[in-house]
Amino acid sequence: NAGVTQTPKFQVLKTGQSMTLQCAQDMNHEYMSWYRQDPGMGLRLIHYSVGAGITDQGEVPNGYNVSRSTTEDFPLRLLSAAPSQTSVYFCASSYGGQGSEQFFGPGTRLTVL
Amino acid sequence: RKEVEQDPGPFNVPEGATVAFNCTYSNSASQSFFWYRQDCRKEPKLLMSVYSSGNEDGRFTAQLNRASQYISLLIRDSKLSDSATYLCVVTGSGNTPLVFGKGTRLSVIA
């Protein structure tokens, strides 16, 4: 099993550009989530999904969209990138929701100029 | 009061030392508690869950004190490979179903 995969590993955007961060898992996990990690801030939840077709907002959802058309994939879209979105983005999945072990992808390092 | 608070460290300890980290949480309704480990520029990985009765995994011991709302992690006989950031994680509520502490950095020195 590949576990949780994320692409790209690194990305540089200009302010105002849009892009999609890809996340896929092959563990048949229903629960998936997106976090951002900034220095001195810890991981903060952006959006999460408890199953295909169901998504919900986390702590910091503004500027981001998600969709969950399949169990395996959970892409994160940046609508109009801003320098404040410079961060490391982690996708995670788990079998039983937030009370279970979260399996994280390797992360995407995003810089917005 | 922040939802999950940890001493950021760094804790610099010699090999073989015993080191303890504490973490306090604010949501008395939290049900699940974890310690994750994060190596530099890597993703977090589960180190251990924390159970009410306390639990041990090799050199690692986790304790939960619900009355005082803190959890602890004890590492005995520290190894160089234990150098990492340790994240305290607690289930929350609403739009923060899982709350991560900012982490405590440990450096084990030869």
Side-chain angles (χ1 to χ4, degrees):
Chain A
N1 286 352
V4 180
T5 57
Q6 290 184 238
T7 56
K9 286 189 168 50
F10 302 94
Q11 183 70 50
V12 178
L13 292 177
K14 294 181 180 177
T15 297
Q17 287 184 314
S18 62
M19 79 160 295
T20 299
L21 307 186
Q22 301 292 343
C23 173
Q25 52 91 10
D26 61 0
M27 297 175 282
N28 203 32
H29 288 169
E30 292 292 334
Y31 188 89
M32 296 185 74
S33 52
W34 275 101
Y35 291 88
R36 59 178 290 173
Q37 186 173 36
D38 303 295
M41 295 292 292
L43 279 90
R44 292 182 292 168
L45 182 66
I46 304 171
H47 285 284
Y48 65 99
S49 168
V50 299
I54 306 168
T55 64
D56 211 341
Q57 295 182 350
E59 183 185 356
V60 289
N62 292 343
Y64 308 95
N65 273 356
V66 291
S67 59
R68 185 91 182 272
S69 56
T70 67
T71 299
E72 294 78 20
D73 300 296
F74 192 41
L76 177 73
R77 281 184 290 279
L78 278 71
L79 308 173
S80 176
S84 61
Q85 293 178 305
T86 293
S87 188
V88 180
Y89 291 85
F90 289 104
C91 177
S93 75
S94 75
Y95 177 73
Q98 65 266 23
S100 303
E101 178 179 2
Q102 305 296 310
F103 293 85
F104 286 85
T108 294
R109 284 165 176 75
L110 175 69
T111 301
V112 183
L113 302 174
Chain B
R1 180 179 176 183
K2 294 195 170 80
E3 289 200 62
V4 174
E5 292 198 61
Q6 296 182 249
D7 183 339
F11 285 63
N12 298 315
V13 303
E15 273 187 293
T18 295
V19 62
F21 308 137
N22 286 333
C23 162
T24 58
Y25 62 95
S26 61
N27 184 357
S28 60
S30 293
Q31 293 295 317
S32 299
F33 310 87
F34 310 91
W35 284 102
Y36 278 73
R37 172 195 168 124
Q38 186 173 24
D39 293 307
C40 187
R41 299 181 70 80
K42 297 287 189 181
E43 71 272 23
K45 291 184 180 177
L46 179 68
L47 177 66
M48 58 197 304
S49 301
V50 187
Y51 302 118
S52 297
S53 55
N55 48 299
E56 189 174 304
D57 183 2
R59 297 181 293 108
F60 299 85
T61 300
Q63 297 280 352
L64 167 64
N65 185 319
R66 284 188 184 272
S68 301
Q69 294 182 209
Y70 79 81
I71 67 175
S72 64
L73 176 68
L74 182 78
I75 305 175
R76 290 182 299 278
D77 188 23
S78 298
K79 312 288 185 195
L80 293 174
S81 57
D82 294 334
S83 297
T85 297
Y86 291 83
L87 307 176
C88 172
V89 184
V90 174
T91 51
S93 60
N95 63 359
T96 53
L98 202 60
V99 183
F100 284 76
K102 296 178 184 179
T104 297
R105 192 154 58 91
L106 171 66
S107 290
V108 181
I109 305 161

mmCIF file with all atom_site columns, all heavy atoms in Angstrom, chain A residues 35-58:
data_model
loop_
_atom_site.group_PDB
_atom_site.id
_atom_site.type_symbol
_atom_site.label_atom_id
_atom_site.label_alt_id
_atom_site.label_comp_id
_atom_site.label_asym_id
_atom_site.label_entity_id
_atom_site.label_seq_id
_atom_site.pdbx_PDB_ins_code
_atom_site.Cartn_x
_atom_site.Cartn_y
_atom_site.Cartn_z
_atom_site.occupancy
_atom_site.B_iso_or_equiv
_atom_site.pdbx_formal_charge
_atom_site.auth_seq_id
_atom_site.auth_comp_id
_atom_site.auth_asym_id
_atom_site.auth_atom_id
_atom_site.pdbx_PDB_model_num
ATOM 1   N N   . TYR A 1 35 ? -4.740  19.792 6.577  1.00 0.00 ? 35 TYR A N   1
ATOM 2   C CA  . TYR A 1 35 ? -4.187  20.671 7.588  1.00 0.00 ? 35 TYR A CA  1
ATOM 3   C C   . TYR A 1 35 ? -3.135  21.571 6.937  1.00 0.00 ? 35 TYR A C   1
ATOM 4   O O   . TYR A 1 35 ? -2.521  21.215 5.957  1.00 0.00 ? 35 TYR A O   1
ATOM 5   C CB  . TYR A 1 35 ? -3.478  19.876 8.693  1.00 0.00 ? 35 TYR A CB  1
ATOM 6   C CG  . TYR A 1 35 ? -4.388  19.067 9.574  1.00 0.00 ? 35 TYR A CG  1
ATOM 7   C CD1 . TYR A 1 35 ? -4.744  17.769 9.238  1.00 0.00 ? 35 TYR A CD1 1
ATOM 8   C CD2 . TYR A 1 35 ? -4.879  19.606 10.763 1.00 0.00 ? 35 TYR A CD2 1
ATOM 9   C CE1 . TYR A 1 35 ? -5.575  17.015 10.055 1.00 0.00 ? 35 TYR A CE1 1
ATOM 10  C CE2 . TYR A 1 35 ? -5.709  18.861 11.587 1.00 0.00 ? 35 TYR A CE2 1
ATOM 11  C CZ  . TYR A 1 35 ? -6.044  17.572 11.228 1.00 0.00 ? 35 TYR A CZ  1
ATOM 12  O OH  . TYR A 1 35 ? -6.859  16.837 12.044 1.00 0.00 ? 35 TYR A OH  1
ATOM 13  N N   . ARG A 1 36 ? -2.937  22.714 7.557  1.00 0.00 ? 36 ARG A N   1
ATOM 14  C CA  . ARG A 1 36 ? -1.781  23.515 7.233  1.00 0.00 ? 36 ARG A CA  1
ATOM 15  C C   . ARG A 1 36 ? -0.928  23.671 8.484  1.00 0.00 ? 36 ARG A C   1
ATOM 16  O O   . ARG A 1 36 ? -1.462  23.693 9.606  1.00 0.00 ? 36 ARG A O   1
ATOM 17  C CB  . ARG A 1 36 ? -2.159  24.886 6.668  1.00 0.00 ? 36 ARG A CB  1
ATOM 18  C CG  . ARG A 1 36 ? -2.996  25.761 7.542  1.00 0.00 ? 36 ARG A CG  1
ATOM 19  C CD  . ARG A 1 36 ? -3.263  27.123 6.900  1.00 0.00 ? 36 ARG A CD  1
ATOM 20  N NE  . ARG A 1 36 ? -2.064  27.953 6.835  1.00 0.00 ? 36 ARG A NE  1
ATOM 21  C CZ  . ARG A 1 36 ? -1.988  29.126 6.203  1.00 0.00 ? 36 ARG A CZ  1
ATOM 22  N NH1 . ARG A 1 36 ? -3.048  29.610 5.561  1.00 0.00 ? 36 ARG A NH1 1
ATOM 23  N NH2 . ARG A 1 36 ? -0.866  29.813 6.194  1.00 0.00 ? 36 ARG A NH2 1
ATOM 24  N N   . GLN A 1 37 ? 0.378   23.719 8.289  1.00 0.00 ? 37 GLN A N   1
ATOM 25  C CA  . GLN A 1 37 ? 1.303   23.843 9.408  1.00 0.00 ? 37 GLN A CA  1
ATOM 26  C C   . GLN A 1 37 ? 2.205   25.034 9.172  1.00 0.00 ? 37 GLN A C   1
ATOM 27  O O   . GLN A 1 37 ? 2.944   25.086 8.188  1.00 0.00 ? 37 GLN A O   1
ATOM 28  C CB  . GLN A 1 37 ? 2.131   22.573 9.591  1.00 0.00 ? 37 GLN A CB  1
ATOM 29  C CG  . GLN A 1 37 ? 3.008   22.602 10.850 1.00 0.00 ? 37 GLN A CG  1
ATOM 30  C CD  . GLN A 1 37 ? 3.700   21.271 11.114 1.00 0.00 ? 37 GLN A CD  1
ATOM 31  O OE1 . GLN A 1 37 ? 4.104   20.573 10.187 1.00 0.00 ? 37 GLN A OE1 1
ATOM 32  N NE2 . GLN A 1 37 ? 3.817   20.900 12.382 1.00 0.00 ? 37 GLN A NE2 1
ATOM 33  N N   . ASP A 1 38 ? 2.128   25.989 10.066 1.00 0.00 ? 38 ASP A N   1
ATOM 34  C CA  . ASP A 1 38 ? 2.941   27.198 10.004 1.00 0.00 ? 38 ASP A CA  1
ATOM 35  C C   . ASP A 1 38 ? 3.845   27.250 11.226 1.00 0.00 ? 38 ASP A C   1
ATOM 36  O O   . ASP A 1 38 ? 3.463   26.748 12.293 1.00 0.00 ? 38 ASP A O   1
ATOM 37  C CB  . ASP A 1 38 ? 2.037   28.433 9.973  1.00 0.00 ? 38 ASP A CB  1
ATOM 38  C CG  . ASP A 1 38 ? 1.065   28.403 8.820  1.00 0.00 ? 38 ASP A CG  1
ATOM 39  O OD1 . ASP A 1 38 ? 1.541   28.457 7.670  1.00 0.00 ? 38 ASP A OD1 1
ATOM 40  O OD2 . ASP A 1 38 ? -0.152  28.307 9.052  1.00 0.00 ? 38 ASP A OD2 1
ATOM 41  N N   . PRO A 1 39 ? 5.007   27.856 11.093 1.00 0.00 ? 39 PRO A N   1
ATOM 42  C CA  . PRO A 1 39 ? 5.932   27.939 12.236 1.00 0.00 ? 39 PRO A CA  1
ATOM 43  C C   . PRO A 1 39 ? 5.252   28.575 13.439 1.00 0.00 ? 39 PRO A C   1
ATOM 44  O O   . PRO A 1 39 ? 4.614   29.623 13.322 1.00 0.00 ? 39 PRO A O   1
ATOM 45  C CB  . PRO A 1 39 ? 7.058   28.829 11.696 1.00 0.00 ? 39 PRO A CB  1
ATOM 46  C CG  . PRO A 1 39 ? 7.009   28.657 10.212 1.00 0.00 ? 39 PRO A CG  1
ATOM 47  C CD  . PRO A 1 39 ? 5.553   28.477 9.880  1.00 0.00 ? 39 PRO A CD  1
ATOM 48  N N   . GLY A 1 40 ? 5.365   27.923 14.594 1.00 0.00 ? 40 GLY A N   1
ATOM 49  C CA  . GLY A 1 40 ? 4.814   28.470 15.821 1.00 0.00 ? 40 GLY A CA  1
ATOM 50  C C   . GLY A 1 40 ? 3.301   28.370 15.937 1.00 0.00 ? 40 GLY A C   1
ATOM 51  O O   . GLY A 1 40 ? 2.723   28.864 16.895 1.00 0.00 ? 40 GLY A O   1
ATOM 52  N N   . MET A 1 41 ? 2.647   27.714 14.954 1.00 0.00 ? 41 MET A N   1
ATOM 53  C CA  . MET A 1 41 ? 1.183   27.668 14.977 1.00 0.00 ? 41 MET A CA  1
ATOM 54  C C   . MET A 1 41 ? 0.634   26.268 15.160 1.00 0.00 ? 41 MET A C   1
ATOM 55  O O   . MET A 1 41 ? -0.533  26.099 15.433 1.00 0.00 ? 41 MET A O   1
ATOM 56  C CB  . MET A 1 41 ? 0.614   28.247 13.674 1.00 0.00 ? 41 MET A CB  1
ATOM 57  C CG  . MET A 1 41 ? 0.898   29.706 13.473 1.00 0.00 ? 41 MET A CG  1
ATOM 58  S SD  . MET A 1 41 ? 0.038   30.727 14.649 1.00 0.00 ? 41 MET A SD  1
ATOM 59  C CE  . MET A 1 41 ? -1.652  30.499 14.145 1.00 0.00 ? 41 MET A CE  1
ATOM 60  N N   . GLY A 1 42 ? 1.432   25.247 14.974 1.00 0.00 ? 42 GLY A N   1
ATOM 61  C CA  . GLY A 1 42 ? 0.883   23.901 15.020 1.00 0.00 ? 42 GLY A CA  1
ATOM 62  C C   . GLY A 1 42 ? 0.051   23.601 13.783 1.00 0.00 ? 42 GLY A C   1
ATOM 63  O O   . GLY A 1 42 ? -0.098  24.432 12.888 1.00 0.00 ? 42 GLY A O   1
ATOM 64  N N   . LEU A 1 43 ? -0.521  22.424 13.736 1.00 0.00 ? 43 LEU A N   1
ATOM 65  C CA  . LEU A 1 43 ? -1.375  22.038 12.611 1.00 0.00 ? 43 LEU A CA  1
ATOM 66  C C   . LEU A 1 43 ? -2.784  22.588 12.817 1.00 0.00 ? 43 LEU A C   1
ATOM 67  O O   . LEU A 1 43 ? -3.356  22.446 13.906 1.00 0.00 ? 43 LEU A O   1
ATOM 68  C CB  . LEU A 1 43 ? -1.455  20.511 12.472 1.00 0.00 ? 43 LEU A CB  1
ATOM 69  C CG  . LEU A 1 43 ? -0.290  19.842 11.764 1.00 0.00 ? 43 LEU A CG  1
ATOM 70  C CD1 . LEU A 1 43 ? 0.779   19.476 12.768 1.00 0.00 ? 43 LEU A CD1 1
ATOM 71  C CD2 . LEU A 1 43 ? -0.757  18.611 11.025 1.00 0.00 ? 43 LEU A CD2 1
ATOM 72  N N   . ARG A 1 44 ? -3.320  23.186 11.771 1.00 0.00 ? 44 ARG A N   1
ATOM 73  C CA  . ARG A 1 44 ? -4.681  23.711 11.846 1.00 0.00 ? 44 ARG A CA  1
ATOM 74  C C   . ARG A 1 44 ? -5.515  23.082 10.748 1.00 0.00 ? 44 ARG A C   1
ATOM 75  O O   . ARG A 1 44 ? -5.084  22.995 9.599  1.00 0.00 ? 44 ARG A O   1
ATOM 76  C CB  . ARG A 1 44 ? -4.673  25.239 11.717 1.00 0.00 ? 44 ARG A CB  1
ATOM 77  C CG  . ARG A 1 44 ? -4.047  25.948 12.908 1.00 0.00 ? 44 ARG A CG  1
ATOM 78  C CD  . ARG A 1 44 ? -4.103  27.451 12.751 1.00 0.00 ? 44 ARG A CD  1
ATOM 79  N NE  . ARG A 1 44 ? -3.248  27.909 11.664 1.00 0.00 ? 44 ARG A NE  1
ATOM 80  C CZ  . ARG A 1 44 ? -3.281  29.138 11.156 1.00 0.00 ? 44 ARG A CZ  1
ATOM 81  N NH1 . ARG A 1 44 ? -4.146  30.027 11.615 1.00 0.00 ? 44 ARG A NH1 1
ATOM 82  N NH2 . ARG A 1 44 ? -2.442  29.476 10.187 1.00 0.00 ? 44 ARG A NH2 1
ATOM 83  N N   . LEU A 1 45 ? -6.721  22.679 11.100 1.00 0.00 ? 45 LEU A N   1
ATOM 84  C CA  . LEU A 1 45 ? -7.605  21.970 10.186 1.00 0.00 ? 45 LEU A CA  1
ATOM 85  C C   . LEU A 1 45 ? -8.250  22.940 9.203  1.00 0.00 ? 45 LEU A C   1
ATOM 86  O O   . LEU A 1 45 ? -8.841  23.949 9.605  1.00 0.00 ? 45 LEU A O   1
ATOM 87  C CB  . LEU A 1 45 ? -8.679  21.233 10.981 1.00 0.00 ? 45 LEU A CB  1
ATOM 88  C CG  . LEU A 1 45 ? -9.663  20.392 10.184 1.00 0.00 ? 45 LEU A CG  1
ATOM 89  C CD1 . LEU A 1 45 ? -8.950  19.218 9.511  1.00 0.00 ? 45 LEU A CD1 1
ATOM 90  C CD2 . LEU A 1 45 ? -10.770 19.881 11.106 1.00 0.00 ? 45 LEU A CD2 1
ATOM 91  N N   . ILE A 1 46 ? -8.179  22.608 7.914  1.00 0.00 ? 46 ILE A N   1
ATOM 92  C CA  . ILE A 1 46 ? -8.762  23.454 6.875  1.00 0.00 ? 46 ILE A CA  1
ATOM 93  C C   . ILE A 1 46 ? -10.159 22.936 6.511  1.00 0.00 ? 46 ILE A C   1
ATOM 94  O O   . ILE A 1 46 ? -11.157 23.655 6.621  1.00 0.00 ? 46 ILE A O   1
ATOM 95  C CB  . ILE A 1 46 ? -7.867  23.481 5.624  1.00 0.00 ? 46 ILE A CB  1
ATOM 96  C CG1 . ILE A 1 46 ? -6.445  23.930 5.973  1.00 0.00 ? 46 ILE A CG1 1
ATOM 97  C CG2 . ILE A 1 46 ? -8.467  24.406 4.561  1.00 0.00 ? 46 ILE A CG2 1
ATOM 98  C CD1 . ILE A 1 46 ? -5.455  23.769 4.829  1.00 0.00 ? 46 ILE A CD1 1
ATOM 99  N N   . HIS A 1 47 ? -10.224 21.715 6.032  1.00 0.00 ? 47 HIS A N   1
ATOM 100 C CA  . HIS A 1 47 ? -11.485 21.052 5.695  1.00 0.00 ? 47 HIS A CA  1
ATOM 101 C C   . HIS A 1 47 ? -11.339 19.579 6.025  1.00 0.00 ? 47 HIS A C   1
ATOM 102 O O   . HIS A 1 47 ? -10.232 19.051 6.068  1.00 0.00 ? 47 HIS A O   1
ATOM 103 C CB  . HIS A 1 47 ? -11.795 21.176 4.200  1.00 0.00 ? 47 HIS A CB  1
ATOM 104 C CG  . HIS A 1 47 ? -12.278 22.520 3.757  1.00 0.00 ? 47 HIS A CG  1
ATOM 105 N ND1 . HIS A 1 47 ? -13.546 22.978 3.992  1.00 0.00 ? 47 HIS A ND1 1
ATOM 106 C CD2 . HIS A 1 47 ? -11.645 23.503 3.074  1.00 0.00 ? 47 HIS A CD2 1
ATOM 107 C CE1 . HIS A 1 47 ? -13.692 24.191 3.477  1.00 0.00 ? 47 HIS A CE1 1
ATOM 108 N NE2 . HIS A 1 47 ? -12.554 24.535 2.922  1.00 0.00 ? 47 HIS A NE2 1
ATOM 109 N N   . TYR A 1 48 ? -12.475 18.916 6.195  1.00 0.00 ? 48 TYR A N   1
ATOM 110 C CA  . TYR A 1 48 ? -12.434 17.486 6.394  1.00 0.00 ? 48 TYR A CA  1
ATOM 111 C C   . TYR A 1 48 ? -13.654 16.838 5.755  1.00 0.00 ? 48 TYR A C   1
ATOM 112 O O   . TYR A 1 48 ? -14.618 17.516 5.374  1.00 0.00 ? 48 TYR A O   1
ATOM 113 C CB  . TYR A 1 48 ? -12.328 17.122 7.881  1.00 0.00 ? 48 TYR A CB  1
ATOM 114 C CG  . TYR A 1 48 ? -13.507 17.503 8.743  1.00 0.00 ? 48 TYR A CG  1
ATOM 115 C CD1 . TYR A 1 48 ? -14.469 16.560 9.085  1.00 0.00 ? 48 TYR A CD1 1
ATOM 116 C CD2 . TYR A 1 48 ? -13.642 18.796 9.240  1.00 0.00 ? 48 TYR A CD2 1
ATOM 117 C CE1 . TYR A 1 48 ? -15.535 16.895 9.893  1.00 0.00 ? 48 TYR A CE1 1
ATOM 118 C CE2 . TYR A 1 48 ? -14.708 19.141 10.048 1.00 0.00 ? 48 TYR A CE2 1
ATOM 119 C CZ  . TYR A 1 48 ? -15.659 18.191 10.378 1.00 0.00 ? 48 TYR A CZ  1
ATOM 120 O OH  . TYR A 1 48 ? -16.722 18.537 11.175 1.00 0.00 ? 48 TYR A OH  1
ATOM 121 N N   . SER A 1 49 ? -13.581 15.503 5.625  1.00 0.00 ? 49 SER A N   1
ATOM 122 C CA  . SER A 1 49 ? -14.663 14.759 4.986  1.00 0.00 ? 49 SER A CA  1
ATOM 123 C C   . SER A 1 49 ? -14.842 13.437 5.719  1.00 0.00 ? 49 SER A C   1
ATOM 124 O O   . SER A 1 49 ? -13.861 12.746 6.005  1.00 0.00 ? 49 SER A O   1
ATOM 125 C CB  . SER A 1 49 ? -14.312 14.505 3.513  1.00 0.00 ? 49 SER A CB  1
ATOM 126 O OG  . SER A 1 49 ? -15.183 13.565 2.951  1.00 0.00 ? 49 SER A OG  1
ATOM 127 N N   . VAL A 1 50 ? -16.086 13.104 6.015  1.00 0.00 ? 50 VAL A N   1
ATOM 128 C CA  . VAL A 1 50 ? -16.358 11.832 6.709  1.00 0.00 ? 50 VAL A CA  1
ATOM 129 C C   . VAL A 1 50 ? -16.745 10.731 5.729  1.00 0.00 ? 50 VAL A C   1
ATOM 130 O O   . VAL A 1 50 ? -17.029 9.606  6.165  1.00 0.00 ? 50 VAL A O   1
ATOM 131 C CB  . VAL A 1 50 ? -17.439 12.012 7.795  1.00 0.00 ? 50 VAL A CB  1
ATOM 132 C CG1 . VAL A 1 50 ? -16.968 13.006 8.853  1.00 0.00 ? 50 VAL A CG1 1
ATOM 133 C CG2 . VAL A 1 50 ? -18.754 12.463 7.180  1.00 0.00 ? 50 VAL A CG2 1
ATOM 134 N N   . GLY A 1 51 ? -16.758 11.058 4.445  1.00 0.00 ? 51 GLY A N   1
ATOM 135 C CA  . GLY A 1 51 ? -17.058 10.052 3.442  1.00 0.00 ? 51 GLY A CA  1
ATOM 136 C C   . GLY A 1 51 ? -17.301 10.712 2.098  1.00 0.00 ? 51 GLY A C   1
ATOM 137 O O   . GLY A 1 51 ? -17.438 11.947 2.014  1.00 0.00 ? 51 GLY A O   1
ATOM 138 N N   . ALA A 1 52 ? -17.368 9.905  1.056  1.00 0.00 ? 52 ALA A N   1
ATOM 139 C CA  . ALA A 1 52 ? -17.580 10.443 -0.293 1.00 0.00 ? 52 ALA A CA  1
ATOM 140 C C   . ALA A 1 52 ? -18.860 11.267 -0.332 1.00 0.00 ? 52 ALA A C   1
ATOM 141 O O   . ALA A 1 52 ? -19.899 10.849 0.203  1.00 0.00 ? 52 ALA A O   1
ATOM 142 C CB  . ALA A 1 52 ? -17.637 9.309  -1.308 1.00 0.00 ? 52 ALA A CB  1
ATOM 143 N N   . GLY A 1 53 ? -18.752 12.450 -0.911 1.00 0.00 ? 53 GLY A N   1
ATOM 144 C CA  . GLY A 1 53 ? -19.885 13.338 -1.052 1.00 0.00 ? 53 GLY A CA  1
ATOM 145 C C   . GLY A 1 53 ? -20.153 14.239 0.139  1.00 0.00 ? 53 GLY A C   1
ATOM 146 O O   . GLY A 1 53 ? -21.060 15.087 0.094  1.00 0.00 ? 53 GLY A O   1
ATOM 147 N N   . ILE A 1 54 ? -19.371 14.091 1.215  1.00 0.00 ? 54 ILE A N   1
ATOM 148 C CA  . ILE A 1 54 ? -19.602 14.867 2.436  1.00 0.00 ? 54 ILE A CA  1
ATOM 149 C C   . ILE A 1 54 ? -18.325 15.612 2.821  1.00 0.00 ? 54 ILE A C   1
ATOM 150 O O   . ILE A 1 54 ? -17.269 14.994 3.000  1.00 0.00 ? 54 ILE A O   1
ATOM 151 C CB  . ILE A 1 54 ? -20.006 13.957 3.611  1.00 0.00 ? 54 ILE A CB  1
ATOM 152 C CG1 . ILE A 1 54 ? -21.199 13.083 3.235  1.00 0.00 ? 54 ILE A CG1 1
ATOM 153 C CG2 . ILE A 1 54 ? -20.321 14.788 4.853  1.00 0.00 ? 54 ILE A CG2 1
ATOM 154 C CD1 . ILE A 1 54 ? -21.475 11.978 4.229  1.00 0.00 ? 54 ILE A CD1 1
ATOM 155 N N   . THR A 1 55 ? -18.420 16.922 2.902  1.00 0.00 ? 55 THR A N   1
ATOM 156 C CA  . THR A 1 55 ? -17.274 17.705 3.360  1.00 0.00 ? 55 THR A CA  1
ATOM 157 C C   . THR A 1 55 ? -17.744 18.732 4.385  1.00 0.00 ? 55 THR A C   1
ATOM 158 O O   . THR A 1 55 ? -18.934 19.090 4.420  1.00 0.00 ? 55 THR A O   1
ATOM 159 C CB  . THR A 1 55 ? -16.573 18.442 2.200  1.00 0.00 ? 55 THR A CB  1
ATOM 160 O OG1 . THR A 1 55 ? -17.464 19.395 1.629  1.00 0.00 ? 55 THR A OG1 1
ATOM 161 C CG2 . THR A 1 55 ? -16.099 17.474 1.135  1.00 0.00 ? 55 THR A CG2 1
ATOM 162 N N   . ASP A 1 56 ? -16.820 19.198 5.190  1.00 0.00 ? 56 ASP A N   1
ATOM 163 C CA  . ASP A 1 56 ? -17.161 20.209 6.199  1.00 0.00 ? 56 ASP A CA  1
ATOM 164 C C   . ASP A 1 56 ? -15.954 21.083 6.458  1.00 0.00 ? 56 ASP A C   1
ATOM 165 O O   . ASP A 1 56 ? -14.808 20.702 6.170  1.00 0.00 ? 56 ASP A O   1
ATOM 166 C CB  . ASP A 1 56 ? -17.625 19.548 7.493  1.00 0.00 ? 56 ASP A CB  1
ATOM 167 C CG  . ASP A 1 56 ? -18.649 20.404 8.227  1.00 0.00 ? 56 ASP A CG  1
ATOM 168 O OD1 . ASP A 1 56 ? -18.730 21.621 7.941  1.00 0.00 ? 56 ASP A OD1 1
ATOM 169 O OD2 . ASP A 1 56 ? -19.365 19.858 9.081  1.00 0.00 ? 56 ASP A OD2 1
ATOM 170 N N   . GLN A 1 57 ? -16.224 22.263 6.982  1.00 0.00 ? 57 GLN A N   1
ATOM 171 C CA  . GLN A 1 57 ? -15.157 23.224 7.225  1.00 0.00 ? 57 GLN A CA  1
ATOM 172 C C   . GLN A 1 57 ? -14.480 22.951 8.551  1.00 0.00 ? 57 GLN A C   1
ATOM 173 O O   . GLN A 1 57 ? -15.101 22.541 9.520  1.00 0.00 ? 57 GLN A O   1
ATOM 174 C CB  . GLN A 1 57 ? -15.746 24.649 7.233  1.00 0.00 ? 57 GLN A CB  1
ATOM 175 C CG  . GLN A 1 57 ? -16.312 25.079 5.909  1.00 0.00 ? 57 GLN A CG  1
ATOM 176 C CD  . GLN A 1 57 ? -16.834 26.516 5.962  1.00 0.00 ? 57 GLN A CD  1
ATOM 177 O OE1 . GLN A 1 57 ? -16.934 27.118 7.023  1.00 0.00 ? 57 GLN A OE1 1
ATOM 178 N NE2 . GLN A 1 57 ? -17.155 27.062 4.798  1.00 0.00 ? 57 GLN A NE2 1
ATOM 179 N N   . GLY A 1 58 ? -13.188 23.240 8.544  1.00 0.00 ? 58 GLY A N   1
ATOM 180 C CA  . GLY A 1 58 ? -12.433 23.159 9.773  1.00 0.00 ? 58 GLY A CA  1
ATOM 181 C C   . GLY A 1 58 ? -12.234 24.527 10.376 1.00 0.00 ? 58 GLY A C   1
ATOM 182 O O   . GLY A 1 58 ? -13.075 25.422 10.221 1.00 0.00 ? 58 GLY A O   1
#
